[in-house]
Amino acid sequence: MDGSYMPKLTACSGAFIMHCTNTGLEVKGCRADASPNADNYRGEFLGALGPLLVLRAVLMANPQVHCSQVRLDLHCDNKGVVTHGNQSQATIKADQVQADLFRLQKIYSRVLPLHLQWHHVNGHSDDTNSFTNLSLVQQLNVRCDEMACKHLLRSIRLGTFMDPVFSDEDITLLIESTKVRSSVRKEIYKHWVKLTARNLFFRRDKVIPTTFDLIHWDVMPKVMKEFPKTFQDWITRHISDFNGCNTDILKMSVQAVGARTH
């Protein structure tokens, strides 16, 4: 399993291959998510959930199958996925990123009547060795990487992304029709800050509400760091209408009132 991510398009994807070492038969799949929380980490977890979802569906459709003695080895090149997969009973931190996928991985790892063991495999092994010289696990990882990248490009081109809500999620929180995928506390706080800023900028005649969401606010901290500290301070004072001494502020207020009456 592996993931792919394109930061400029806030989209990521995950791919998996289930390979039978006895018969050589395979089951493989991909899924892409258009998410404001998209990153490499989310892509890796999307890939990790793939085989768990397949096994969950198969065992639910065939409850007569007993596989409590079956051991299933899962390989991923992301150590976070491996660590959390092997700690299915551990709790999730309140500020955990990609918390929805973390939670699902732990749920499936607990409810599946299998012995699941997660292993780490070095990613991009074909950068230093030819594909034919790689082990089977390494070859599968390389193929997953290629599948995830191709599927992500196709999804972006066609606009076909997965439904972010999984069937086994007991509770799903939406903020303005967007599913909260990471820390609930952080997302609620961010939403409240957004509403406060939108109202403040409107009252100060800086930004009208209909255009507020058209501004890429998340990149503003990076933009501001490109300017000298004194200019950053000036922008802050200007937005807050306390730029200059009282006499200057009074003149600015009078000019603003006069401009609105003409």
Side-chain angles (χ1 to χ4, degrees):
M1 59 197 71
D2 205 353
S4 184
Y5 168 56
M6 291 193 174
K8 293 184 179 180
L9 299 173
T10 61
C12 60
S13 67
F16 70 93
I17 300 175
M18 300 176 68
H19 180 92
C20 177
T21 55
N22 291 330
T23 64
L25 297 176
E26 294 181 343
V27 174
K28 51 189 176 183
C30 304
R31 58 175 51 211
D33 184 21
S35 164
N37 301 105
D39 58 14
N40 283 318
Y41 209 24
R42 187 170 187 82
E44 298 285 353
F45 269 93
L46 287 174
L49 284 179
L52 301 181
L53 289 168
V54 171
L55 291 170
R56 172 75 163 155
V58 170
L59 294 176
M60 288 181 66
N62 301 275
Q64 74 280 4
V65 176
H66 299 285
C67 50
S68 58
Q69 302 302 317
V70 176
R71 173 190 169 100
L72 185 65
D73 292 306
L74 301 149
H75 301 266
C76 182
D77 61 12
N78 184 281
K79 292 184 178 180
V81 172
V82 174
T83 299
H84 287 280
N86 288 327
Q87 297 176 354
S88 60
Q89 301 296 331
T91 58
I92 300 175
K93 297 185 295 183
D95 60 346
Q96 180 63 62
V97 297
Q98 316 302 354
D100 60 332
L101 303 188
F102 272 69
R103 192 174 296 108
L104 284 168
Q105 185 199 34
K106 292 181 181 296
I107 289 174
Y108 291 136
S109 297
R110 290 196 297 264
V111 301
L112 288 174
L114 301 164
H115 293 288
L116 301 177
Q117 185 65 45
W118 295 79
H119 306 274
H120 179 256
V121 55
N122 292 327
H124 305 284
S125 299
D126 56 331
D127 289 345
T128 55
N129 291 286
S130 64
F131 184 82
T132 54
N133 290 332
L134 301 179
S135 66
L136 174 60
V137 171
Q138 291 174 325
Q139 289 181 351
L140 292 173
N141 181 259
V142 170
R143 290 172 57 197
C144 283
D145 184 36
E146 295 174 349
M147 287 170 52
C149 183
K150 290 180 180 179
H151 184 72
L152 180 56
L153 292 173
R154 182 176 182 274
S155 297
I156 292 171
R157 185 177 73 255
L158 300 178
T160 53
F161 294 96
M162 58 174 277
D163 184 344
V165 179
F166 291 81
S167 58
D168 289 303
E169 287 185 284
D170 296 330
I171 299 176
T172 302
L173 178 63
L174 304 179
I175 296 180
E176 295 185 345
S177 301
T178 300
K179 176 191 172 185
V180 174
R181 294 166 168 86
S182 291
S183 168
V184 172
R185 180 175 59 186
K186 285 186 176 181
E187 291 299 322
I188 292 177
Y189 178 77
K190 183 179 179 179
H191 179 62
W192 284 344
V193 169
K194 173 184 173 181
L195 295 179
T196 302
R198 184 162 57 193
N199 293 332
L200 173 66
F201 289 171
F202 177 62
R203 293 199 312 269
R204 299 271 171 87
D205 294 322
K206 299 298 189 293
V207 181
I208 60 176
T210 54
T211 61
F212 183 87
D213 291 333
L214 300 178
I215 300 174
H216 194 351
W217 295 108
D218 291 338
V219 81
M220 283 299 175
K222 296 180 181 179
V223 173
M224 292 295 289
K225 287 181 179 180
E226 299 296 323
F227 297 110
K229 182 64 167 59
T230 52
F231 182 77
Q232 297 179 33
D233 294 340
W234 181 85
I235 287 291
T236 303
R237 293 195 301 269
H238 179 69
I239 293 297
S240 304
D241 281 341
F242 54 80
N243 192 35
C245 59
N246 289 337
T247 303
D248 293 331
I249 294 175
L250 177 61
K251 291 179 181 178
M252 293 168 61
S253 302
V254 172
Q255 291 172 357
V257 172
R260 287 196 294 265
T261 58
H262 290 295

